[in-house]
């Protein structure tokens, strides 16, 4: 099956810093999504981004489907950005497969 | 709209017991998914459905069963619970495989 790897696995930042999270996938996909799991376990959809670039406030994402990767940028990080960030890819058979995750901790 | 609703939120089962985790969505989504998340780990796909009457296995289907008789509901059945099924279970839905929305999760402990 498809492999979805995220890097780095862990990231520690001070408030105000910027960061880039990466998602690599091993096969062609129909679409890609980014999620944030907050410290209480809730999963929030950040971006639906099969290709190209999208921005939402301090967050932006870019997917280069032909090269099988996606990037999530977080600028001016805040403590509320802490949690785990997952990418998920939709395969040709409609499975939605999650990546390994990046755990982000933002300190004041 | 309530979105994706999972019940119960917490459950303790004894080894060998069975139970059904309920998932309902009111967004008229045709795609629905079940995942499990073990402590400190990522989400693994158990089963998914692209419409009423259609279900398919995900990455970790053993020990589970599903049915999809209506668009709104997608129950997950655990038969003969085992300690290895202790996990947090998430249900999600989307329209045509687009942006997915998750329920709050069910925390299951098998003792």
């Amino acid at each position: 099956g498809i492999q979805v790897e995220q890097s780095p696995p862990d990231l520690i930042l001070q408030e105000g810093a910027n960061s880039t999270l990466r998602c690599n996938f091993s096969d062609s996909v129909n679409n890609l999504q980014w999620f944030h799991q907050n410290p209480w376990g809730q999963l929030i959809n950040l971006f639906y981004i099969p290709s190209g670039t999208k921005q939402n406030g301090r967050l932006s994402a870019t997917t280069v489907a032909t090269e099988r990767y996606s990037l999530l940028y977080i600028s001016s990080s805040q403590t509320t950005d802490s949690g785990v960030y997952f990418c998920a890819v939709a395969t040709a058979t409609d499975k939605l497969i999650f990546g390994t995750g990046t755990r982000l901790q933002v300190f004041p | 709209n309530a979105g994706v609703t999972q019940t119960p939120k917490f459950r303790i089962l004894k080894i060998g017991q069975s139970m059904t985790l309920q998932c309902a969505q009111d967004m008229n989504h045709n795609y629905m998914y079940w995942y499990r998340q073990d402590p400190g780990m990522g989400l693994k796909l158990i089963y998914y459905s692209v419409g009423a009457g259609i279900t398919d296995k995900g990455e970790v289907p053993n020990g589970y069963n599903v049915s999809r008789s209506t668009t709104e509901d997608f129950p997950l059945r655990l038969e003969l619970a085992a300690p290895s099924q202790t996990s947090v279970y998430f249900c999600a839905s989307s329209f045509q495989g687009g942006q997915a929305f998750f329920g709050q999760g069910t925390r299951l402990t098998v003792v």
Side-chain angles (χ1 to χ4, degrees):
Chain A
I2 192 169
Q3 303 299 310
V4 186
E5 300 288 334
Q6 293 183 239
S7 60
D10 294 280
L11 192 54
I12 300 175
L13 299 174
Q14 195 154 23
E15 230 175 4
N18 303 327
S19 60
T20 301
L21 285 58
R22 187 176 181 103
C23 172
N24 291 331
F25 42 98
S26 61
D27 204 349
S28 313
V29 299
N30 288 344
N31 69 63
L32 185 141
Q33 304 181 48
W34 282 97
F35 295 86
H36 176 223
Q37 187 169 38
N38 65 24
W40 297 271
Q42 188 179 9
L43 283 151
I44 303 297
N45 195 303
L46 299 174
F47 292 102
Y48 171 84
I49 183 163
S51 63
T53 298
K54 288 188 177 179
Q55 181 156 7
N56 184 2
R58 296 180 296 103
L59 273 60
S60 65
T62 295
T63 297
V64 185
T66 52
E67 297 187 22
R68 299 181 184 168
Y69 74 90
S70 183
L71 302 173
L72 179 69
Y73 305 95
I74 304 175
S75 64
S76 304
S77 56
Q78 301 176 357
T79 56
T80 52
D81 294 331
S82 295
V84 184
Y85 289 81
F86 292 104
C87 63
V89 299
T91 70
T93 55
D94 294 314
K95 292 182 174 72
L96 185 62
I97 303 297
F98 273 69
T100 50
T102 292
R103 183 174 303 274
L104 173 65
Q105 296 179 74
V106 181
F107 291 95
Chain B
N1 286 354
V4 180
T5 303
Q6 292 184 236
T7 54
K9 288 185 172 50
F10 304 93
R11 183 72 187 269
I12 298 175
L13 274 184
K14 293 186 177 179
I15 294 171
Q17 287 185 323
S18 301
M19 77 164 293
T20 299
L21 282 67
Q22 301 291 346
C23 176
Q25 54 87 16
D26 62 359
M27 297 176 282
N28 204 29
H29 286 170
N30 53 345
Y31 285 42
M32 295 186 76
Y33 313 85
W34 273 107
Y35 293 88
R36 61 175 287 172
Q37 185 177 32
D38 297 337
M41 305 296 284
L43 282 80
K44 292 296 185 185
L45 182 65
I46 305 172
Y47 271 95
Y48 67 107
S49 168
V50 299
I54 305 168
T55 61
D56 212 341
K57 295 178 180 179
E59 302 169 279
V60 290
N62 291 346
Y64 307 93
N65 279 300
V66 293
S67 60
R68 183 98 183 270
S69 55
T70 68
T71 300
E72 295 78 19
D73 300 296
F74 191 37
L76 177 72
R77 178 85 177 159
L78 279 72
E79 305 283 359
L80 299 175
S84 61
Q85 294 178 305
T86 294
S87 193
V88 180
Y89 290 83
F90 287 100
C91 178
S93 72
S94 73
F95 182 69
Q96 294 290 99
Q99 190 175 17
F101 296 89
F102 277 78
Q104 297 292 319
T106 294
R107 187 175 297 275
L108 176 67
T109 302
V110 182
V111 296

